[in-house]
Amino acid sequence: MSNEVNPTVRRANVVGLGLIGGSIARALHDRGWHVTGSDEDEAIAADAVARSFTDAVGTDPDAEITFVAVPVLAGVDAVKAALHDTNGIVTDVGSVKAPICAAITDPRFVGGHPMAGSERDGLDGADPELFNSAIWVLTPDDDADDLVFTDLTAIITSLGSEVVAIDPARHDEVVAVVSHVPHLTAASLMGVAADRSIQHAAMLRLAAGGFRDMTRVASGRPDIWLDICTENRSAIVAALTHLIDELGQVRSAIDDGDQERLLDRLSRARTARQNLPSRVVDPESLAEVRIPIPDRMGAAAEVFTLAAELSVNIANFEVVHVAESNRGIAVVLVDLTHAEVFRGGLIARGFRPSVQALT
Amino acid sequence: MSNEVNPTVRRANVVGLGLIGGSIARALHDRGWHVTGSDEDEAIAADAVARSFTDAVGTDPDAEITFVAVPVLAGVDAVKAALHDTNGIVTDVGSVKAPICAAITDPRFVGGHPMAGSERDGLDGADPELFNSAIWVLTPDDDADDLVFTDLTAIITSLGSEVVAIDPARHDEVVAVVSHVPHLTAASLMGVAADRSIQHAAMLRLAAGGFRDMTRVASGRPDIWLDICTENRSAIVAALTHLIDELGQVRSAIDDGDQERLLDRLSRARTARQNLPSRVVDPESLAEVRIPIPDRMGAAAEVFTLAAELSVNIANFEVVHVAESNRGIAVVLVDLTHAEVFRGGLIARGFRPSVQALT
């Protein structure tokens, strides 16, 4: 029954039903999609149907989109299989993007990475709200098809996430700093405390809120981090070197009693922390930027990528097609305060934007 | 009016009305104490009365306890003044304990350190529930008076905190690892991300939940950390060296592609994180340990300190005085599963405990 194609129901595949895949499946299912799920472990795929997280087991050739949510090192093969088995969009959710984006050149594929996680593993942790208010990175290549990119963006936005598009290699350098190295640092802090707790039994009892917050991520599954460290080795090593150098400078400032140098570093960190961008967009202060999309591959993705480079927050993005033309117009909502810098960047890249405040 | 001594009302001083002092004042005031507050900034002391956090401004010579909650480097002078101006117990809340405990030998003083904090500063952040379920470390010297120690423990317990007693120098080594170095690491991580954000505008937008959790403490006031780094310099430098070494080993394991070594470190950290002691005591499984307290200084504090060394969770502690004797009996409630190791340690230290399960 559930495998019969109902043309009014949108169809998706989810390959790999761990925490992320399971959450995507539930989020789509809750929004009325017909979701077909598969997993290396067939019992998990069956369990997902039994729990009504998915509608069927296997691969749906008619799916308009396939989310590949397998371990990082298995990603390329799984994406290739999905491109072979379906005619729809294929995306993945791996934490490292340059290798897979270099390996797959099919214009139906755009790499992705939802910046969301949980301390829980597997289907038990699957949460349809996991992506709500999260950043979901897409890493379109130059060969990304405009329609694929905009459709994928619309589907991800419908899950509650904000799409940020950046170059795959740049993504990997960024997540090395804001995700991979912090994780390794949390594990290292926990390791130091555990080492010291042998001499100081009270060590771990005194670990208060701040320490618990800082080391929470260290309770995640270690095996997924092995793959990440293999795939993103050079960016992680570079960021670790940067952090070790920074800690060495803090240590020497303390050892030398150089209060001014220490205050300078702490104050800079405080300012940066307080200025971490908020995700809240004030709907009262949006501008609409309309950008005719030239007839070349990747132009829509380029608009998105430029926004990220300029720190322009995109509140909404859609491509409107002009009657009797193959060309489209990207209609982008951004913070009013970001409109001018965005306009300047777009003109510099050869686009011809027009800006109108929404009031 | 409010300065007239009513013998049925307990009286306290709070010196320094920042986040911690203000929270102590409110917690005591809410529990019916008459609280007299002072601050270097007289307007703050007046404001505390206006907000009904305290009852009076100044120093109450009849206070049974004075909490000194001033910046770390000002602690010794403020404690000496409080010992001079009152006849009651004096304690402090500084994050570094060895220097102040070495400087003050009066048996009416016991050093303390509530392991609680908040992102907010000053009276505006003062929260009477700040200490609820927190660990509050006391660092009694060999010269600590038993009655002072047990009265202080009872007052702190009444604020909802769990008292853990450890040696001052040991405290400083422990907090270097679980508090001071994590703070400096959070600031360093934030600094690295801020440095890199100059090349990668998307850097800070991609900073998701884990990074925000890890760097939250870096938004605190930098100046208090200068004092802490001065006072606890050697323990902090040692712990930073340990962390830098650990990060260097992680980096070389990644650089060498040595998955086994990396997995070993991550797994060890995960296990330690998952085994962080829980603060929850099951009242169904307590044992009562009764310990006659010998007639020597510091015996009650020694019972407490031994419990921390043995990782024995003390759910309740009081000293019962035996009629027609100056000697007391410490009645200590501990986890039933900890009763035997505690009994063994007490006997080894020359105490004569008796244990009874509470069922």
Side-chain angles (χ1 to χ4, degrees):
Chain A
M1 283 281 284
S2 66
N3 272 325
E4 277 174 33
V5 178
N6 173 343
T8 66
V9 172
R10 301 182 75 177
R11 305 176 74 87
N13 288 314
V14 178
V15 180
L17 294 164
L19 173 74
I20 299 291
S23 298
I24 292 170
R26 292 191 69 180
L28 291 169
H29 182 86
D30 283 3
R31 286 166 178 78
W33 288 65
H34 181 280
V35 181
T36 302
S38 61
D39 195 275
E40 206 184 28
D41 182 343
E42 287 176 17
I44 289 175
D47 188 32
V49 176
R51 298 197 199 194
S52 294
F53 295 178
T54 56
D55 302 280
V57 171
T59 302
D60 178 353
D62 298 313
E64 65 172 284
I65 185 165
T66 299
F67 288 91
V68 171
V70 300
V72 161
L73 292 180
V76 171
D77 287 345
V79 167
K80 283 182 177 167
L83 287 166
H84 177 268
D85 294 343
T86 75
N87 293 311
I89 297 169
V90 178
T91 188
D92 78 321
V93 301
S95 306
V96 187
K97 298 266 66 87
I100 196 168
C101 292
I104 311 279
T105 55
D106 192 311
R108 283 189 290 132
F109 171 73
V110 174
H113 178 204
M115 306 290 288
S118 146
E119 290 162 81
R120 306 187 62 190
D121 293 335
L123 270 191
D124 286 338
D127 174 4
E129 295 306 314
L130 188 65
F131 310 108
N132 202 4
S133 301
I135 296 279
W136 192 312
V137 178
L138 293 179
T139 56
D141 283 319
D142 296 340
D143 54 14
D145 182 89
D146 272 356
L147 198 59
V148 167
F149 178 77
T150 52
D151 284 355
L152 176 58
T153 298
I155 293 167
I156 289 170
T157 305
S158 78
L159 305 183
S161 290
E162 182 186 338
V163 171
V164 171
I166 59 177
D167 172 75
R170 185 162 285 201
H171 164 274
D172 293 355
E173 287 181 44
V174 169
V175 293
V177 174
V178 301
S179 169
H180 303 165
V181 163
H183 184 96
L184 296 168
T185 305
S188 298
L189 275 170
M190 196 63 241
V192 168
D195 279 354
R196 297 292 192 90
S197 70
I198 296 161
Q199 298 121 51
H200 294 313
M203 179 70 74
L204 300 180
R205 294 196 57 221
L206 264 57
F211 185 81
R212 286 167 187 263
D213 280 351
M214 283 198 68
T215 56
R216 182 162 295 119
V217 294
S219 61
R221 281 172 55 189
D223 52 338
I224 65 167
W225 289 93
L226 295 185
D227 289 1
I228 289 171
C229 290
T230 300
E231 286 282 279
N232 201 23
R233 182 193 314 204
S234 66
I236 290 174
V237 168
L240 270 174
T241 300
H242 196 151
L243 176 65
I244 289 169
D245 177 62
E246 182 80 19
L247 286 169
Q249 297 210 34
V250 166
R251 177 178 58 180
S252 72
I254 294 171
D255 212 12
D256 300 345
D258 186 340
Q259 302 233 341
E260 203 172 320
R261 192 147 49 104
L262 187 58
L263 180 61
D264 176 60
R265 289 186 175 269
L266 295 176
S267 302
R268 188 184 52 138
R270 182 192 210 197
T271 303
R273 180 63 179 75
Q274 290 177 333
N275 290 339
L276 270 188
S278 149
R279 305 259 164 73
V280 181
V281 178
D282 177 3
E284 296 286 299
S285 62
L286 290 176
E288 182 183 276
V289 183
R290 297 177 76 91
I291 310 152
I293 297 291
D295 188 15
R296 60 177 162 85
M297 295 290 277
E302 191 181 342
V303 167
F304 238 94
T305 308
L306 180 64
E309 285 173 32
L310 297 171
S311 297
V312 169
N313 215 6
I314 292 187
N316 196 48
F317 181 95
E318 59 186 310
V319 174
V320 180
H321 285 277
V322 183
E324 294 174 31
S325 160
N326 283 325
R327 295 167 66 181
I329 294 176
V331 180
V332 187
L333 297 187
V334 302
D335 270 23
L336 188 56
T337 54
H338 296 161
E340 281 303 289
V341 69
F342 192 35
R343 193 167 71 90
L346 286 165
I347 292 171
R349 289 277 173 90
F351 293 95
R352 301 174 71 180
S354 63
V355 176
Q356 187 173 10
L358 297 182
T359 45
Chain B
M1 282 282 285
S2 65
N3 273 324
E4 277 174 31
V5 177
N6 173 343
T8 67
V9 173
R10 302 182 74 176
R11 305 176 73 87
N13 288 313
V14 177
V15 180
L17 294 165
L19 173 74
I20 300 291
S23 297
I24 293 170
R26 291 192 69 181
L28 291 168
H29 182 86
D30 284 2
R31 286 164 179 79
W33 288 66
H34 181 279
V35 181
T36 302
S38 61
D39 195 276
E40 206 185 28
D41 181 342
E42 287 176 17
I44 289 175
D47 188 31
V49 176
R51 298 197 199 193
S52 294
F53 295 179
T54 57
D55 301 280
V57 171
T59 302
D60 178 352
D62 298 313
E64 65 173 282
I65 185 165
T66 299
F67 288 91
V68 171
V70 300
V72 161
L73 293 178
V76 170
D77 287 346
V79 167
K80 283 182 177 167
L83 288 165
H84 177 268
D85 295 341
T86 74
N87 293 313
I89 297 169
V90 178
T91 188
D92 78 322
V93 301
S95 307
V96 188
K97 298 267 63 85
I100 196 167
C101 293
I104 311 278
T105 54
D106 192 311
R108 285 190 288 132
F109 171 73
V110 174
H113 178 203
M115 306 289 289
S118 145
E119 290 164 81
R120 305 187 62 191
D121 294 334
L123 270 191
D124 286 338
D127 174 4
E129 295 306 314
L130 188 65
F131 310 109
N132 203 4
S133 301
I135 298 278
W136 192 311
V137 179
L138 294 179
T139 56
D141 283 319
D142 296 339
D143 53 13
D145 182 88
D146 271 355
L147 198 58
V148 167
F149 178 77
T150 51
D151 284 355
L152 176 57
T153 297
I155 293 167
I156 289 170
T157 304
S158 77
L159 304 185
S161 290
E162 181 185 340
V163 170
V164 171
I166 59 176
D167 172 75
R170 187 162 285 204
H171 164 273
D172 292 356
E173 287 181 45
V174 168
V175 293
V177 174
V178 300
S179 169
H180 303 165
V181 164
H183 184 97
L184 296 168
T185 304
S188 298
L189 275 171
M190 195 63 241
V192 168
D195 280 355
R196 296 294 192 91
S197 70
I198 295 160
Q199 298 121 52
H200 295 314
M203 179 71 74
L204 300 179
R205 293 197 57 222
L206 264 54
F211 184 82
R212 286 167 187 263
D213 280 352
M214 284 198 69
T215 56
R216 183 162 295 118
V217 294
S219 61
R221 279 171 57 189
D223 51 338
I224 66 168
W225 289 93
L226 294 186
D227 289 2
I228 288 171
C229 290
T230 300
E231 285 283 278
N232 201 22
R233 183 193 313 205
S234 65
I236 290 174
V237 168
L240 269 175
T241 300
H242 196 150
L243 176 65
I244 289 169
D245 178 60
E246 181 80 19
L247 286 169
Q249 297 210 33
V250 167
R251 178 178 55 181
S252 71
I254 294 170
D255 212 10
D256 300 346
D258 186 341
Q259 303 232 343
E260 203 171 320
R261 192 148 48 105
L262 187 57
L263 181 61
D264 177 61
R265 290 188 174 268
L266 294 176
S267 302
R268 187 185 52 138
R270 183 191 208 196
T271 305
R273 180 64 180 72
Q274 289 176 335
N275 290 339
L276 271 187
S278 151
R279 304 259 164 73
V280 181
V281 178
D282 177 2
E284 297 285 299
S285 61
L286 290 176
E288 182 183 275
V289 184
R290 297 177 75 92
I291 310 149
I293 297 291
D295 190 15
R296 60 177 163 86
M297 294 290 277
E302 191 181 341
V303 167
F304 239 94
T305 307
L306 180 63
E309 284 173 33
L310 297 171
S311 298
V312 169
N313 215 8
I314 293 187
N316 196 48
F317 182 95
E318 60 185 311
V319 174
V320 181
H321 286 275
V322 183
E324 293 174 30
S325 159
N326 283 325
R327 296 168 66 182
I329 294 176
V331 180
V332 186
L333 297 187
V334 301
D335 269 22
L336 187 57
T337 54
H338 296 161
E340 281 304 289
V341 68
F342 192 35
R343 193 168 70 89
L346 286 165
I347 292 170
R349 289 278 172 89
F351 293 96
R352 301 173 71 179
S354 62
V355 175
Q356 188 171 10
L358 296 182
T359 46

